[in-house]
Amino acid sequence: MDFLTPDLTPAYPEIFLLVMVCVVMLTDLIVGERRRYLAFFLAQLTLIGCAILTLTTFSSEANYTFSGMFIDDAMSDILKLMVYATVAAVLIYSRIYIGVRGMFRGEFFSLALFATLGMMVMISASHFLTLYLGLELLSLSLYAMVALQRDSTVATEAAMKFFVLGALASGFLLYGMSMVYGATGSLHTSKVAEIIQSGTIDHAVLIIGLVFIVAGIGFKLYAAPFHMWAPDVYQGAPTAVTLFVGSAPNLASFGFVMRLLIDGLGELVADWQGMLVILAVASMVIGNLVAIAQTNIKRMLAYSTISHMGFVLFGFIAAGENGYSSSLFYVAAYVLMTLGAFGIIMMLSREGFESENISDFKGLNQRSPWLALIMMLLMLSMAGIPPMIGFYAKLAVLQAVLGVGYIWLTVVAVMLSLIGAFYYLRIIKLMYFDAPEIDKPISTGMDIKVLIGINGLAVIMLGIFPQTLMGLSLYAIQQ
């Protein structure tokens, strides 16, 4: 029997990452407690290596391998480069935080890299099975990371909730995919699209499958009413893990939705568009209104994420190149803002103290004017106030959805954004107009100080000059 060796070139970054994860785990086993920093440096080198390989194999044309189950195109390369940069930033921000709490071990870095591998597979999948495998690899890594602080009952409870609801979401997705397979007889996204376009299939079975798939996507995108797990996981997980959960996986989720809903089920746009409108409005209403009542900053940012995901869905509702590219721009902007916000929360934390309450930000300007300034920029950006990147991201998705005639949806989104601005501005008021509750100085590493400065600068510069990131987003979608 002849065996055709698949072309491995498109998957070089994934293969390299898998090998390096093994190296990181073995290194952590061999070196002693004093040389644990080697795992950190190896993880960073791995991400740099993946970026070099991705750039080396970069092509504007789509390259398929593994019997058409894996694709390497411009969108996948750009999304992967964003993922590498995000994970590298997360590891730098987390370095001191996890060191103080006894989590600076190979497990943290190997799980982070395994999760990165899952994201890369999700982004490059062109087959329902590959999509599911990537999603599960990411999900299982995240469950383990949330439960990494074994002595914490809050973290264990959060991990259990995350696992149970995540498994339910995976079940929905798998059942939906099986219904699509039953209707079309294929699991390749491109073939599914062709068969649906031919009009020779049972539409009713396909729609039932589509409902389950959209419900599963709702879970993964934190979209209401499937958002229940997000606030508990954000609050219960160690802040370094919360930062990881709330940042890079959103880029992978965008790729996942593009492969599944646009590439595979794009012909059913009229059917899933209505479902996404309901998810988007529910997310913005619940996210913005419930966030106002929160006193825990991590829980508040979880509800903030839910409302931001409503805006991300706007781009998919618009169903066109402008819509998808504005969604990608929004996700990138959101990840940038989240990195900075959780980075500052970790900088305010110290041994035996978690800076988790909103009141912990009282008088931050008197303790550290630099951090207060960066946090103010991030909050203004999340609220969508010009000239921050958050303003342009909101403007882009609103223009896209307005372009396809959803005037009422645009009005609702603007009104809810105005309401939601309250809880972001409250943080600024606490930092600049309230007296600090503690006078403990804020100390952190130079690398983290530099990174938070770049983070804050990027939020304002990409808001003033958004053309580069928007052009990159449009290029990724068009190719």
Side-chain angles (χ1 to χ4, degrees):
M1 186 175 69
D2 294 333
F3 177 76
L4 296 175
T5 305
D7 179 15
L8 299 180
T9 311
Y12 275 167
E14 284 79 5
I15 295 168
F16 173 73
L17 180 56
L18 184 58
V19 172
M20 287 304 294
V21 173
C22 300
V23 173
V24 170
M25 286 193 292
L26 287 172
T27 304
D28 189 64
L29 281 174
I30 294 168
V31 300
E33 190 73 31
R34 291 182 180 179
R35 294 181 179 175
R36 282 272 162 78
Y37 61 87
L38 281 174
F40 171 78
F41 286 118
L42 277 175
Q44 295 287 14
L45 285 175
T46 303
L47 294 168
I48 293 170
C50 287
I52 292 170
L53 285 171
T54 303
L55 288 171
T56 306
T57 57
F58 191 92
S59 172
S60 58
E61 293 182 4
N63 296 314
Y64 289 87
T65 187
F66 300 119
S67 303
M69 296 173 74
F70 189 94
I71 182 173
D72 178 27
D73 57 6
M75 188 185 82
S76 66
D77 288 336
I78 290 170
L79 278 174
K80 284 176 191 174
L81 289 170
M82 289 181 178
V83 167
Y84 306 147
T86 305
V87 175
V90 169
L91 295 183
I92 293 172
Y93 276 135
S94 308
R95 185 175 59 79
I96 293 176
Y97 180 91
I98 60 176
V100 170
R101 285 154 187 80
M103 294 164 61
F104 197 89
R105 302 190 300 265
E107 291 100 314
F108 183 86
F109 302 111
S110 52
L111 283 171
L113 292 179
F114 268 127
T116 307
L117 180 61
M119 292 183 234
M120 293 162 72
V121 173
M122 284 169 67
I123 289 168
S124 276
S126 60
H127 191 278
F128 284 14
L129 188 58
T130 325
L131 276 168
Y132 186 73
L133 287 175
L135 179 65
E136 285 307 289
L137 180 56
L138 170 64
S139 301
L140 291 172
S141 304
L142 294 183
Y143 304 151
M145 287 180 80
V146 173
L148 207 53
Q149 214 169 22
R150 301 185 188 92
D151 298 334
S152 169
T153 52
V154 181
T156 309
E157 184 186 340
M160 285 297 293
K161 286 180 182 174
F162 196 14
F163 174 72
V164 172
L165 291 175
L168 185 66
S170 297
F172 277 150
L173 267 175
L174 205 56
Y175 188 70
M177 287 176 179
S178 67
M179 296 289 280
V180 172
Y181 177 72
T184 63
S186 178
L187 288 172
H188 281 92
T189 52
S190 55
K191 287 184 182 174
V192 166
E194 286 174 16
I195 294 166
I196 294 174
Q197 194 173 20
S198 69
T200 57
I201 54 172
D202 187 344
H203 201 69
V205 176
L206 205 56
I207 295 304
I208 295 171
L210 182 64
V211 170
F212 280 98
I213 286 174
V214 171
I217 288 172
F219 269 102
K220 300 302 178 187
L221 281 179
Y222 316 77
F226 307 107
H227 65 285
M228 299 79 72
W229 61 272
D232 291 338
V233 171
Y234 268 54
Q235 184 179 359
T239 307
V241 177
T242 307
L243 172 57
F244 192 94
V245 172
S247 55
N250 289 301
L251 293 163
S253 296
F254 174 83
F256 184 83
V257 177
M258 284 298 295
R259 300 295 183 201
L260 185 57
L261 221 50
I262 311 303
D263 292 354
L265 303 170
E267 289 297 322
L268 300 176
V269 59
D271 297 297
W272 52 253
Q273 213 171 26
M275 298 182 210
L276 295 191
V277 168
I278 295 170
L279 294 184
V281 173
S283 299
M284 286 188 291
V285 170
I286 292 174
N288 283 312
L289 295 183
V290 181
I292 293 173
Q294 303 306 311
T295 56
N296 182 291
I297 184 77
K298 288 163 70 179
R299 209 170 175 83
M300 187 204 87
L301 288 175
Y303 282 104
S304 158
T305 301
I306 293 164
S307 69
H308 282 295
M309 288 304 115
F311 274 100
V312 171
L313 289 174
F314 270 29
F316 293 106
I317 293 168
E321 283 183 355
N322 285 333
Y324 305 145
S325 58
S326 62
S327 267
L328 177 53
F329 184 93
Y330 200 103
V331 172
Y334 167 75
V335 169
L336 193 63
M337 295 183 290
T338 302
L339 280 173
F342 278 102
I344 290 177
I345 293 173
M346 281 193 282
M347 289 168 77
L348 296 183
S349 302
R350 58 182 182 276
E351 189 171 6
F353 174 75
E354 293 287 341
S355 177
E356 292 190 345
N357 293 317
I358 291 175
S359 59
D360 294 332
F361 282 83
K362 282 183 177 178
L364 180 61
N365 182 50
Q366 296 175 38
R367 297 175 63 198
S368 173
W370 175 243
L371 283 185
L373 175 65
I374 301 292
M375 192 65 178
M376 182 181 71
L377 294 177
L378 293 165
M379 291 297 107
L380 291 175
S381 184
M382 284 191 179
I385 294 172
M388 309 302 165
I389 189 173
F391 166 74
Y392 191 83
K394 280 187 169 65
L395 182 67
V397 291
L398 288 176
Q399 281 179 335
V401 84
L402 194 61
V404 292
Y406 280 104
I407 299 172
W408 70 270
L409 196 55
T410 310
V411 173
V412 168
V414 172
M415 294 300 292
L416 288 168
S417 286
L418 291 174
I419 294 170
F422 169 79
Y423 54 89
Y424 298 119
L425 297 179
R426 181 174 56 181
I427 303 287
I428 298 174
K429 179 257 177 189
L430 289 174
M431 291 191 299
Y432 283 91
F433 297 104
D434 285 24
E437 290 184 344
I438 49 176
D439 295 326
K440 190 90 176 172
I442 300 167
S443 60
T444 189
M446 183 54 70
D447 54 345
I448 299 177
K449 285 180 183 174
V450 172
L451 186 59
I452 199 72
I454 295 171
N455 209 151
L457 192 64
V459 164
I460 190 166
M461 293 308 292
L462 286 173
I464 297 171
F465 305 106
Q467 297 86 353
T468 305
L469 184 56
M470 181 50 86
L472 191 67
S473 304
L474 191 59
Y475 174 78
I477 300 301
Q478 286 175 335
Q479 298 300 317

